[in-house]
């Protein structure tokens, strides 16, 4: 059996999937997209002060090497020859900021992290109303808040109009993105200031740090990033696809520390150490873009939603930048080759998705494990008129209402924990519908179906509810590792590698589970309008901005 399996395998492609809580290395068959083996290593988050989130760049790098070595050992046990691995792709948590010394190869400070979860579209930002929205979640460790004062001082000196940053980058001025974190490091960390003065400093997001280190580091490492990661720095012009001189001047960032911007699919360099020495690194995508590619959302109007602690919804808008009137972000979706066109996406996020389940478990104790929620919800099959708005720290897109707080309403003597569990699942679906409605209004392209991935999609009740509430089919691939798959596809398709065809006729048909709406349209609309009524009731709870929105 093993021998015959070895005989039929085509070229293989590896993918590094570097997330906020773990690093993984996965190996796929480029002809069938089958996942052959993988290894995962948890990584620590450090909270040196309340509201600060950091990670050790060296620990992240070591975890990548460990995952590669262990996966190669597992492939050996499966009698699969690792010399069949023809390329490696990288997908990574976006926005997390690293500055390191190009002479010693040492980080000059910990990586300043992005949210532990997908945060809201505009966390702690100057939002459409001009007010500041507090960080998502039930505690400030979800989001690194040290840069709030940096944002406030920058927002006072935006040249000309408030659209200066957004019109170039697609992003609002916010603590979430790398430019503000980098500004904070330049203002507050002497080692970083000194290295910049002495022309020793290099900046990058996690992808840049990994690619530079894996391709040789101090011995000729390649300092680059791809367009999707660059588009999350707030320094990158998404129209010209170059670092923007005016933005760099506005943030006071020296351009010589920035990585070279490349496409998402080309050979950046070769692995210089470890079991896969000599293998090209030829794919690079921010995690949400990688999931869009892995879901094969290559057509305009195709969208995917990733369900984790929060949700990330991306819709492919084609070669056109669509700017949102409803608080969504405009971002680069992918550019799959040096001479290939760039594709853009609209992105919206739900701050509290899986986090609401965790809250029911850890704060209320009505479930012992996250999986139990499905069992509770199944017992009743309805919320019995109970609605749960998890606005734990304000409402985000499309409302932008920092005064809101979480509410559970519509309670009767009959309501029990099963109904509340059901209402929590419905809340995830209603919030997704609100983002989707905003996208439809911005794009004018109504979605025919929604493609889904992420941990929560194993909950069948949630998926059926999502189809009912959106009133379109929800489609889930049977192979859940779409983010890693996207990075592998980009790597395998790169010029000079050419082992993975992205032509529509060559893309292997992925088996999908499909959830069709099972209620009538009228009932779906009634439930949604009642949800909106509940949302209105959650507003106006906090009358003065409480200190939770920043560091005292």
């Amino acid at each position: 059996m093993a021998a015959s399996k070895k005989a039929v395998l085509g070229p293989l492609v590896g993918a590094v999937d570097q997330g906020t809580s773990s690093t993984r290395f996965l190996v796929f068959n480029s002809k069938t997209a089958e996942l052959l083996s993988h290894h995962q290593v948890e990584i620590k988050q450090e909270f040196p002060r309340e509201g600060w989130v950091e990670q050790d760049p060296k620990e992240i790098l070591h975890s990548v090497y460990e995952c590669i070595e262990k996966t190669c050992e597992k492939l050996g046990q499966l009698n699969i020859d690792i010399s069949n691995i023809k390329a490696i792709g990288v997908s990574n948590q976006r926005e997390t900021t690293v500055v390191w010394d190009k002479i010693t190869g040492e980080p000059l400070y910990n990586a300043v992290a992005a949210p532990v979860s997908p945060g809201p579209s505009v966390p702690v930002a100057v939002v459409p109303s001009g007010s500041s929205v507090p960080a998502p979640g039930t505690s400030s460790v979800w989001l690194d808040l040290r840069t709030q004062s940096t944002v406030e001082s920058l927002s006072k000196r935006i040249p000309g109009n408030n659209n200066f940053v957004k019109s170039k980058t697609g992003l609002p001025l916010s603590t979430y993105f790398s430019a503000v974190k980098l500004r904070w490091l330049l203002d507050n960390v002497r080692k970083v200031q000194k290295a910049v003065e002495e022309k020793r400093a290099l900046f990058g997001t996690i992808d840049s740090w990994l690619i530079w280190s894996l391709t040789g580091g101090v011995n000729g490492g390649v300092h680059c990033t791809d367009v999707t990661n660059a588009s999350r720095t707030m320094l990158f012009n998404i129209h010209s696809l170059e670092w923007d001189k005016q933005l760099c001047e506005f943030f006071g960032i020296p351009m010589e520390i920035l990585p070279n911007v490349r496409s998402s699919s080309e050979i950046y360099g070769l692995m210089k150490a470890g079991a896969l020495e000599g293998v090209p690194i030829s794919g690079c995508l921010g995690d949400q873009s990688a999931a869009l590619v892995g879901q094969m959302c290559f057509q305009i109007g195709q969208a995917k939603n990733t369900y984790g602690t929060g949700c990330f919804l991306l819709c492919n808008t084609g070669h056109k930048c669509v700017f949102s009137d409803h608080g969504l972000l405009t971002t680069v979706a992918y550019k799959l080759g040096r001479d290939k066109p760039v594709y853009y996406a609209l992105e919206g996020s739900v701050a509290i998705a899986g986090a609401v389940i965790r809250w029911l478990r850890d704060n209320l104790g009505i479930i012992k494990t996250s999986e139990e929620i499905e069992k509770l919800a199944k017992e009743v099959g309805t919320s019995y008129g109970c609605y749960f708005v998890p606005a734990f720290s304000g409402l985000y897109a499309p409302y932008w209402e920092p005064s809101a707080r979480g509410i559970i309403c519509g309670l009767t003597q009959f309501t029990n924990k099963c109904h509340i569990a059901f209402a929590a699942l419905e809340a995830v679906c209603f919030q997704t519908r609100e983002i989707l409605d905003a996208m439809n209004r911005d794009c004018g392209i109504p979605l025919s179906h929604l493609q889904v991935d992420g941990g929560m999609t194993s909950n069948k009740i949630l998926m059926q509810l999502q189809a009912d509430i959106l009133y379109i089919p929800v489609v889930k691939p049977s192979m859940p590792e779409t983010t890693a798959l996207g990075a592998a596809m980009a790597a395998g398709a790169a010029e000079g590698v050419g082992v993975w065809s992205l032509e529509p006729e060559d893309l292997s048909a992925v088996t999908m589970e499909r959830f069709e709406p099972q209620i009538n349209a009228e009932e779906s609309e009634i439930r949604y309008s009642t949800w909106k009524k509940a949302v209105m009731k959650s507003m106006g709870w906090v009358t003065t901005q409480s200190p939770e929105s920043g560091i005292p």
Side-chain angles (χ1 to χ4, degrees):
M1 172 69 191
S4 65
K5 187 174 182 183
K6 187 177 176 184
V8 296
L9 282 182
L12 311 180
V13 179
V16 173
D17 182 5
Q18 207 299 300
T20 48
S21 55
S22 70
T23 299
R24 299 179 314 149
F25 185 68
L26 304 90
V27 173
F28 297 91
N29 180 335
S30 66
K31 297 299 171 219
T32 62
E34 178 196 2
L35 174 61
L36 300 174
S37 187
H38 75 284
H39 188 77
Q40 176 167 338
V41 172
E42 300 295 316
I43 53 170
K44 286 198 297 288
Q45 283 172 331
E46 298 171 25
F47 307 111
R49 274 179 59 182
E50 190 186 359
W52 294 26
V53 189
E54 297 180 0
Q55 292 177 308
D56 178 355
K58 291 181 81 170
E59 184 193 350
I60 292 174
L61 179 61
H62 292 316
S63 71
V64 170
Y65 278 120
E66 186 183 339
C67 287
I68 290 173
E69 300 303 308
K70 290 284 198 303
T71 305
C72 288
E73 284 170 24
K74 290 177 183 178
L75 289 171
Q77 288 159 11
L78 293 168
N79 203 17
I80 295 169
D81 187 349
I82 62 169
S83 69
N84 279 341
I85 298 175
K86 302 301 180 194
I88 295 170
V90 175
S91 125
N92 57 289
Q93 50 168 313
R94 303 172 301 172
E95 293 101 13
T96 295
T97 301
V98 191
V99 182
W100 67 97
D101 187 321
K102 65 181 173 190
I103 309 298
T104 65
E106 292 292 311
L108 293 162
Y109 191 79
N110 273 343
V112 181
V116 175
S117 77
S121 300
V122 190
V124 202
V126 181
V127 293
S129 64
S131 60
S132 196
V133 177
T138 50
S139 78
S140 56
V141 297
W142 274 44
L143 178 65
D144 197 285
L145 284 176
R146 76 189 76 190
T147 50
Q148 179 60 19
S149 58
T150 310
V151 162
E152 284 162 4
S153 62
L154 285 166
S155 64
K156 288 189 184 105
R157 52 182 196 79
I158 290 179
N161 62 23
N162 271 351
N163 235 3
F164 169 70
V165 175
K166 192 179 177 186
S167 62
K168 288 169 175 284
T169 66
L171 311 172
L173 180 57
S174 160
T175 60
Y176 191 80
F177 306 106
S178 315
V180 181
K181 295 172 186 173
L182 182 51
R183 183 66 259 154
W184 185 91
L185 289 168
L186 290 167
D187 288 339
N188 293 282
V189 181
R190 182 64 195 127
K191 271 173 82 174
V192 172
Q193 295 163 352
K194 201 164 179 304
V196 169
E197 286 159 16
E198 295 170 7
K199 307 260 188 278
R200 291 182 286 112
L202 295 178
F203 152 80
T205 40
I206 293 290
D207 55 304
S208 298
W209 162 246
L210 291 179
I211 292 171
W212 183 83
S213 302
L214 297 172
T215 56
V218 294
N219 299 309
V222 178
H223 187 216
C224 69
T225 188
D226 90 298
V227 287
T228 68
N229 280 295
S231 78
R232 311 296 291 192
T233 60
M234 242 173 13
L235 299 169
F236 185 70
N237 188 310
I238 59 174
H239 311 284
S240 65
L241 302 183
E242 292 171 334
W243 298 120
D244 189 286
K245 196 164 177 296
Q246 283 181 311
L247 285 168
C248 290
E249 282 168 8
F250 172 65
F251 288 105
I253 307 295
M255 292 183 82
E256 66 270 14
I257 73 173
L258 303 177
N260 289 320
V261 183
R262 313 273 285 269
S263 77
S264 312
S265 176
E266 60 179 271
I267 296 175
Y268 313 112
L270 307 181
M271 287 284 288
K272 285 294 193 296
L276 298 180
E277 190 176 342
V279 175
I281 300 175
S282 53
C284 179
L285 291 152
D287 53 9
Q288 301 308 323
S289 284
L292 195 73
V293 171
Q295 286 270 28
M296 299 173 206
C297 293
F298 295 132
Q299 306 300 314
I300 295 178
Q302 277 188 300
K304 68 92 201 164
N305 195 18
T306 300
Y307 295 76
T309 310
C311 292
F312 265 119
L313 220 139
L314 265 75
C315 178
N316 187 333
T317 62
H319 307 312
K320 192 169 88 213
C321 277
V322 175
F323 284 92
S324 172
D325 296 322
H326 305 95
L328 307 179
L329 307 181
T330 305
T331 199
V332 175
Y334 53 81
K335 184 181 191 293
L336 295 172
R338 211 177 300 195
D339 305 318
K340 294 278 171 28
V342 65
Y343 281 75
Y344 295 97
L346 265 180
E347 176 176 319
S349 28
V350 170
I352 315 268
V356 77
I357 315 304
R358 198 177 304 148
W359 185 83
L360 291 177
R361 185 192 69 194
D362 299 345
N363 295 34
L364 291 197
I366 68 172
I367 49 174
K368 288 195 175 64
T369 66
S370 297
E371 291 67 43
E372 263 180 66
I373 190 138
E374 190 170 4
K375 198 163 116 273
L376 281 188
K378 203 171 187 171
E379 276 180 41
V380 286
T382 170
S383 67
Y384 197 69
C386 167
Y387 285 78
F388 186 165
V389 182
F392 293 144
S393 52
L395 286 166
Y396 297 88
Y399 296 102
W400 304 115
E401 191 48 73
S403 70
R405 285 298 173 270
I407 61 166
I408 301 175
C409 56
L411 301 173
T412 68
Q413 281 179 299
F414 180 70
T415 310
N416 64 29
K417 65 181 182 179
C418 299
H419 300 115
I420 291 172
F422 197 95
L425 293 180
E426 281 192 315
V428 175
C429 302
F430 286 131
Q431 290 180 99
T432 297
R433 166 133 184 211
E434 289 180 324
I435 299 288
L436 213 59
D437 281 0
M439 272 184 183
N440 286 340
R441 288 198 296 272
D442 285 328
C443 289
I445 315 164
L447 274 190
S448 59
H449 65 277
L450 179 66
Q451 289 167 235
V452 300
D453 55 74
M456 288 183 84
T457 59
S458 58
N459 184 325
K460 285 188 161 46
I461 288 191
L462 178 73
M463 293 295 96
Q464 186 55 54
L465 274 175
Q466 189 67 86
D468 290 346
I469 287 166
L470 294 178
Y471 215 68
I472 55 173
V474 166
V475 180
K476 175 193 165 191
S478 56
M479 201 286 292
E481 304 295 351
T482 49
T483 303
L485 177 62
M489 288 164 65
E495 195 181 330
V497 177
V499 297
W500 205 308
S501 170
L502 300 183
E503 295 304 319
E505 64 274 14
D506 296 330
L507 288 171
S508 35
V510 180
T511 50
M512 297 280 192
E513 194 173 354
R514 198 175 167 92
F515 297 85
E516 299 280 348
Q518 285 180 357
I519 60 174
N520 64 44
E522 192 185 358
E523 191 191 335
S524 180
E525 287 309 312
I526 289 168
R527 275 158 67 173
Y528 186 44
S529 61
T530 313
W531 157 263
K532 289 192 154 170
K533 197 159 77 175
V535 169
M536 299 318 284
K537 302 252 185 256
S538 76
M539 294 182 186
W541 282 99
V542 182
T543 45
T544 54
Q545 195 64 42
S546 55
E548 67 189 355
S549 66
I551 298 166

